[in-house]
Amino acid sequence: MRPELMNALAVAYLGDAVFEVYVREYLLTEKGIMKPHELQKASIKYVSAYAHAGFMKYALSRNFFTEEEVRLFKRGRNCKGHSVKK
């Protein structure tokens, strides 16, 4: 898979899914949360637009990502969907 050739919304969608997997693993292994309802409540603190923005600001300030990863992040962040709310 070559993300630089993919639609930016698709890359952002995939990135969000990967991020959520890491959060779920953290909550299970590090925090020891095992009940589904508690996992859902705890994950919202990490997997929200607000929390994601805070994490990215922190990671970018510490040069956590490669230049290519930063480019892909910015492509996904700046891409706007054309869906209409129900």
Side-chain angles (χ1 to χ4, degrees), residues 5 11 17 23 25-26 28 38 40 52 57 77:
L5 300 178
V11 174
V23 167
E25 179 184 18
Y26 168 77
L28 288 166
E38 290 178 17
Q40 179 61 27
H52 198 164
K57 185 176 181 179
R77 179 190 65 191

Side-chain angles (χ1 to χ4, degrees), residues 20-62:
E20 186 167 358
V21 169
Y22 279 112
V23 167
R24 289 179 179 202
E25 179 184 18
Y26 168 77
L27 293 173
L28 288 166
T29 60
E30 300 295 322
K31 293 290 189 175
I33 302 171
M34 297 294 165
K35 294 181 180 178
H37 181 69
E38 290 178 17
L39 282 167
Q40 179 61 27
K41 284 182 10 182
S43 69
I44 291 170
K45 295 176 186 172
Y46 299 95
V47 185
S48 68
Y50 181 77
H52 198 164
F55 167 76
M56 290 305 296
K57 185 176 181 179
Y58 175 84
L60 290 171
S61 72
R62 285 161 176 72

